[in-house]
Amino acid sequence: MRKKWLWALLIVIVLISLIGGGKMFMDKRKKKKEKLESGKRQSVELLKKKFTDIKKVDIERTGYNKMTGFYRMVVKMTNTEGRTARFDYGYVKKQNELSTIGLVDEKVPKKGDYN
């Protein structure tokens, strides 16, 4: 009978440690996601200051290098006239500046434009 209680206690301890480890993992993942979202938001604000007449900015891909604090974004930007452009740019959060803006695609094809 005593061995059963010891096994039950051991199982409970293992389950509690697994749950605690899972929570730490989820908290770390949530913090990383919040940091990425913050970088996206701040970089789009700087983008809107740099270019006039921006109607919409869609972020297609995002990357972050935690060693350097450098964000890389690929966006599709639409102006108030309806013209779109796809480009990538870098963003350094500590310096609060955009860097290396490179055009990916000036004209985004519409439905039916594919060859």
Side-chain angles (χ1 to χ4, degrees), residues 36-37 39-40 59-64 71-75:
L36 191 60
E37 290 299 319
K40 285 181 185 180
I59 298 176
E60 295 179 350
R61 287 183 303 209
T62 306
Y64 176 68
Y71 292 84
R72 169 64 71 200
M73 315 278 179
V74 176
V75 298

Side-chain angles (χ1 to χ4, degrees), residues 58-98:
D58 292 322
I59 298 176
E60 295 179 350
R61 287 183 303 209
T62 306
Y64 176 68
N65 184 323
K66 91 176 161 181
M67 246 176 85
T68 60
F70 186 78
Y71 292 84
R72 169 64 71 200
M73 315 278 179
V74 176
V75 298
K76 177 179 158 184
M77 187 173 70
T78 307
N79 66 6
T80 54
E81 297 171 356
R83 296 188 65 204
T84 57
R86 285 184 63 230
F87 59 93
D88 67 335
Y89 65 93
Y91 170 66
V92 182
K93 192 171 185 175
K94 286 183 181 179
Q95 297 171 350
N96 199 30
E97 66 180 33
L98 298 177

Side-chain angles (χ1 to χ4, degrees), residues 14-15 24 28-29 32-33 38 42 46 50 56-57 59 62 65 73-74 86 90 93 96-99 109:
V14 167
L15 286 174
M24 286 176 23
K28 187 176 180 182
R29 200 159 108 185
K32 185 178 178 182
K33 186 176 179 180
S38 170
Q42 290 173 355
L46 284 174
K50 187 169 185 79
K56 182 176 163 184
V57 176
I59 298 176
T62 306
N65 184 323
M73 315 278 179
V74 176
R86 285 184 63 230
K93 192 171 185 175
N96 199 30
E97 66 180 33
L98 298 177
S99 64

Side-chain angles (χ1 to χ4, degrees), residues 17-34:
S17 67
L18 288 174
I19 291 170
K23 181 173 176 8
M24 286 176 23
F25 173 75
M26 295 300 286
D27 289 346
K28 187 176 180 182
R29 200 159 108 185
K30 183 179 177 183
K31 188 176 181 180
K32 185 178 178 182
K33 186 176 179 180
E34 287 173 353

